[in-house]
């Protein structure tokens, strides 16, 4: 049996999510520079999800089975829902968080769909044909800008603790 990679044990979840998010972000930016916008958007979205999960795990014990089960769905939307659920803030603050996220991060963008649609051709039952989501430089710039907003938003949460 061939083995790829080597496990590092007893890592800190928050720092590893943050490190992986930064790695994905850097990969996305390199791919943008190379004009590989489809792949760039994929990595930038992966980065968003990991930055959000890193912040959420600052608020709860990441080894707790219940918390691990809460964050099993993998999308930016699921990560945001998890963050808001576990954030130690009042209901009013959580509503404000959701409003800010809806206005500046999601505002009509379905990251979970983009994440899948940049990886594979999509079969449209209605037309009986395959379709592909093309990603432009402008599209990757938009996603990169939203990632920068998200990072600042997550940093700003620290002042409310």
């Amino acid at each position: 049996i061939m083995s790829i990679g080597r496990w590092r044990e007893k890592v800190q979840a928050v720092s590893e999510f943050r490190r992986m998010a930064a790695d994905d972000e850097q990969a996305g930016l390199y791919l943008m520079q190379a004009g590989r916008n489809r792949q760039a958007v994929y990595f930038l979205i992966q980065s968003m999800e990991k930055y959000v999960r890193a912040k959420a795990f600052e608020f709860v014990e990441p080894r707790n089975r219940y918390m691990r089960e809460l964050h099993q769905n993998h999308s930016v939307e699921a990560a945001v829902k998890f963050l808001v659920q576990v954030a130690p803030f009042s209901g009013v603050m959580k509503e404000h968080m959701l409003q800010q996220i809806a206005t500046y991060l999601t505002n009509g963008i379905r990251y979970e769909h983009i994440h899948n649609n940049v990886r594979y051709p999509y079969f449209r039952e209605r037309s009986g044909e395959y379709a592909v989501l093309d990603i432009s430089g402008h599209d990757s710039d938009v996603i990169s800008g939203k990632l920068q907003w998200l990072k600042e938003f997550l940093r700003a949460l620290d002042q409310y603790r």
Side-chain angles (χ1 to χ4, degrees), residues 6-21:
R6 197 180 92 216
W7 287 104
R8 282 185 296 123
E9 301 289 338
K10 299 180 182 179
V11 299
Q12 297 300 312
V14 171
S15 60
E16 288 302 316
F17 270 105
R18 195 171 286 122
R19 183 187 62 78
M20 290 176 156

Side-chain angles (χ1 to χ4, degrees), residues 85-96:
Q85 187 174 0
V86 301
F89 303 131
S90 69
V92 171
M93 178 62 176
K94 289 182 179 195
E95 284 299 317
H96 183 67

Side-chain angles (χ1 to χ4, degrees), residues 77 105-112 114 142-143 146:
E77 291 86 350
L105 181 66
T106 55
N107 64 326
I109 295 176
R110 302 275 313 267
Y111 291 97
E112 60 194 350
I114 295 170
V142 167
I143 298 298
K146 290 190 176 290

Side-chain angles (χ1 to χ4, degrees), residues 65-79:
R65 178 185 299 261
Y66 177 71
M67 292 302 155
R68 289 193 328 269
E69 288 172 358
L70 278 180
H71 96 103
Q72 283 185 337
N73 294 332
H74 294 284
S75 70
V76 172
E77 291 86 350

Side-chain angles (χ1 to χ4, degrees), residues 40-60:
V41 163
Y42 173 80
F43 278 101
L44 294 173
I45 290 172
Q46 287 288 295
S47 177
M48 287 179 184
E49 180 187 344
K50 290 170 187 155
Y51 277 125
V52 173
R53 291 188 189 284
K55 178 57 74 177
F57 279 139
E58 287 180 17
F59 300 135
V60 296

